[in-house]
Amino acid sequence: MKVSAVFKFRNPEIRALHLTWIAFFITFYVWFNMAPLASSMLRSVDWLTPDDIRLFAICNVALTIPARILVGMALDRFGPRRVFSILMVTMSIPALVFAFGDTMMQLLISRLVLSSIGASFVVGIHMTALWFKPKDIGFAEGFYAGWGNFGSAAAAMSLPTIALTMYGGDEGWRWAIAQSAVVMAAYGIYYWFAISDGPDEKAHRKPRKAAALEVSTWGDMIKLIIWTIPLVGVLAILVWRIQMMGYISATGALIAYLVIVAIVIYQIVQILRVNIPILKKGVPEDDKYPFTSVAALNSTYFANFGAELAVVSMLPMFFEETWGLNAAAAGLIAASFAFVNLVARPMGGMVSDRMGNRRFVMLCYMFGICVGFLMMGMLNSSWPLIVAIAITIFTSVFVQGAEGATFGIIPSIKRRLTGQISGMAGAYGNVGAVVYLTIFTFVTPSQFFYIIAGGALISWIICFIWLKEPEGAFDDEYYVSSVDRMIEEQELTANGSKAT
């Protein structure tokens, strides 16, 4: 697939790609609509403090992790069209509540609920996989993710201006946030009618059960349980941070910890309920897939997207303090890390398509991340600023290219499980962000960059050992197993029974 293909709007798959990245763009715009208006909120609401804003920032990512898992399951069951539309419409409600909330509890709960909108990413990944063939999926997924993810940067650039010029006054920030919520709800309704789940009914293949990811061996089931625990367990770090900030008591924290443990146990039970009957019956050879590849890609997204979210939050202050820049100049330079997304992520997917070996491309990108952050760890005020900017952009190219390469592989691992695998890998990106941001509170920026480089190196080792080149990763059509055909026949029989 050539870059020029994205301008062929009459092609159904290209139209679907544009409809979907715009949906993702809008959801990320709404997800990150608070940070640019934080200072306006503090000036307008006299009972808000900077600590409250920091708490809202924590809440803004809290439910994204479990939401991505749940949305991944819903995708395989109901399809991305329904899930994306419903997600956009329902999440506009907490966004509106946050916009016009006049108590601390209203703002806190609405922001917490709104954090679920971060799961939108995996919905579009699944939709794009339904429309594009294996040989083109890398670029398509990279384009979708790169341009959609820019919604966060667009929010930072436009919302303050909208609040000041369109609405003005002390309440301008409220109307700017509300406007973004209304636009998202309207697009959600439009998306329901404007697109379908792939070019035909056969494109969306459902798993046997959506309650948990299916695996192929008993050993893989144990690995799935081990890799599932951190997805919810990492929320304990958020609870600990909130308790340390004094917003909940020790009793409240204990209750939260018990809830987290209960959710982890529930997930393990679901994994056992789904997979034990399947494994006892036996998985046909043509339906098996290596879970180690899923685990390897979980680690890559932890190390690349987790690093991106963490670094973007500290980079402006790093440039400001290291080179004595003013806040505006430091923010502009730091923004280069995000701006590269528009090109680097699609390029990562395209390189994955063109090289003919997706595993090799993944290893190269993860190694590049390691080298990039090692160089950033060496930066200090004695380095020329222009060199520091160049190293930052170099690192960003590998970070975001690796993100594109990750999702260039996922749809080819197991077609009917794409939603759940995407949800799991995507959630690990947020796990990485939580872990890295927590570590950052205890170390210097240079140490922080070295730690991220270490995380990338560990992921490289995991990929080198575990990641397998997907079969049929460059074919014209996705591989269909005997189980896929059986599920399709059962659905046809069930639909025929309902019709009669």
Side-chain angles (χ1 to χ4, degrees):
M1 180 176 175
K2 298 180 180 179
V3 176
S4 59
V6 299
F7 299 105
K8 297 178 180 179
F9 301 107
R10 292 185 179 181
N11 289 0
E13 66 271 19
I14 298 301
R15 181 173 179 272
L17 177 62
H18 288 296
L19 286 171
T20 303
W21 80 255
I22 292 171
F24 178 37
F25 178 97
I26 293 172
T27 56
F28 261 47
Y29 189 98
V30 173
W31 190 19
F32 291 97
N33 64 11
M34 182 193 73
L37 301 170
S39 58
S40 299
M41 292 173 63
L42 290 173
R43 287 192 299 269
S44 170
V45 184
D46 55 10
W47 44 266
L48 272 182
T49 68
D51 282 342
D52 295 329
I53 297 295
R54 282 191 283 271
L55 176 61
F56 295 156
I58 295 172
C59 292
N60 204 42
V61 298
L63 295 187
T64 303
I65 298 169
R68 286 194 175 195
I69 302 168
L70 295 174
V71 164
M73 295 176 182
L75 281 173
D76 289 330
R77 178 75 179 274
F78 303 108
R81 177 183 68 91
R82 294 177 182 176
V83 174
F84 220 154
S85 297
I86 292 172
L87 190 66
M88 284 188 277
V89 172
T90 55
M91 285 298 105
S92 67
I93 298 172
L96 288 169
V97 172
F98 184 84
F100 299 110
D102 55 9
T103 69
M104 179 64 180
M105 193 55 65
Q106 286 176 347
L107 295 178
L108 184 68
I109 294 176
S110 60
R111 205 73 220 177
L112 186 65
V113 175
L114 183 59
S115 66
S116 301
I117 194 65
S120 60
F121 169 70
V122 300
V123 187
I125 285 290
H126 192 60
M127 176 64 88
T128 305
L130 294 179
W131 277 95
F132 285 85
K133 299 181 184 301
K135 62 181 181 180
D136 298 323
I137 194 63
F139 176 73
E141 298 284 25
F143 184 88
Y144 155 78
W147 283 76
N149 197 50
F150 194 69
S152 59
M157 291 186 292
S158 65
L159 278 171
T161 302
I162 292 172
L164 289 172
T165 60
M166 287 187 63
Y167 299 107
D170 292 338
E171 302 295 297
W173 69 270
R174 295 185 183 274
W175 291 102
I177 290 177
Q179 176 181 293
S180 68
V182 171
V183 169
M184 181 171 69
Y187 194 84
I189 296 171
Y190 170 73
Y191 193 80
W192 179 283
F193 298 102
I195 198 170
S196 61
D197 290 329
D200 54 56
E201 294 181 357
K202 293 182 179 181
H204 179 226
R205 295 187 178 275
K206 298 180 181 180
R208 283 175 284 198
K209 294 185 179 180
L213 185 65
E214 298 173 26
V215 294
S216 303
T217 67
W218 294 102
D220 283 352
M221 185 175 73
I222 300 300
K223 292 170 189 171
L224 173 59
I225 291 172
I226 293 171
W227 282 86
T228 297
I229 292 172
L231 291 176
V232 177
V234 75
L235 295 178
I237 296 177
L238 294 175
V239 174
W240 171 74
R241 287 180 65 183
I242 293 172
Q243 183 188 3
M244 290 298 101
M245 293 172 68
Y247 288 99
I248 58 173
S249 64
T251 303
L254 178 61
I255 293 171
Y257 291 137
L258 291 174
V259 170
I260 291 170
V261 170
I263 294 173
V264 170
I265 292 173
Y266 173 78
Q267 286 187 305
I268 293 173
V269 170
Q270 291 298 99
I271 290 171
L272 297 174
R273 288 181 62 186
V274 167
N275 284 290
I276 288 178
I278 293 173
L279 295 174
K280 280 185 175 180
K281 185 179 179 181
V283 179
E285 284 298 321
D286 72 333
D287 195 56
K288 290 182 177 180
Y289 75 95
F291 179 78
T292 51
S293 289
V294 178
L297 295 175
N298 290 344
S299 78
T300 65
Y301 218 60
F302 179 104
N304 52 50
F305 188 66
E308 179 186 352
L309 290 180
V311 169
V312 165
S313 68
M314 55 75 66
L315 209 54
M317 186 175 293
F318 170 70
F319 275 103
E320 187 175 348
E321 293 179 351
T322 304
W323 284 274
L325 305 175
N326 59 46
L332 187 61
I333 292 171
S336 63
F337 200 93
F339 268 95
V340 173
N341 225 338
L342 293 173
V343 176
R345 193 151 181 170
M347 185 174 69
M350 179 180 288
V351 171
S352 182
D353 289 341
R354 298 282 178 87
M355 288 292 290
N357 189 319
R358 298 193 188 277
R359 176 180 178 273
F360 175 76
V361 172
M362 191 77 257
L363 288 169
C364 290
Y365 268 113
M366 295 311 299
F367 187 77
I369 293 174
C370 183
V371 172
F373 279 117
L374 280 175
M375 290 193 295
M376 290 186 71
M378 299 175 190
L379 295 176
N380 56 52
S381 58
S382 66
W383 288 63
L385 179 59
I386 188 65
V387 174
I389 295 172
I391 291 174
T392 300
I393 293 174
F394 168 86
T395 306
S396 179
V397 167
F398 279 95
V399 169
Q400 290 155 10
E403 294 165 8
T406 297
F407 282 92
I409 296 175
I410 284 176
S412 297
I413 293 178
K414 193 65 186 169
R415 175 67 162 172
R416 70 172 184 272
L417 304 177
T418 298
Q420 288 170 286
I421 296 173
S422 298
M424 191 176 196
Y428 259 96
N430 288 81
V431 172
V434 171
V435 171
Y436 283 142
L437 284 171
T438 303
I439 291 173
F440 181 61
T441 61
F442 300 103
V443 298
T444 65
S446 291
Q447 292 171 333
F448 182 60
F449 293 136
Y450 286 137
I451 288 169
I452 294 177
L457 179 61
I458 292 171
S459 175
W460 184 91
I461 294 171
I462 292 173
C463 287
F464 185 80
I465 298 171
W466 278 355
L467 184 61
K468 309 296 182 185
E469 179 70 14
E471 294 183 15
F474 301 94
D475 292 347
D476 286 330
E477 300 295 340
Y478 287 97
Y479 177 74
V480 179
S481 72
S482 59
V483 175
D484 291 324
R485 289 190 291 271
M486 179 192 71
I487 294 172
E488 184 179 342
E489 289 170 3
Q490 289 174 346
E491 287 182 358
L492 291 173
T493 302
N495 292 334
S497 299
K498 291 178 182 178
T500 56

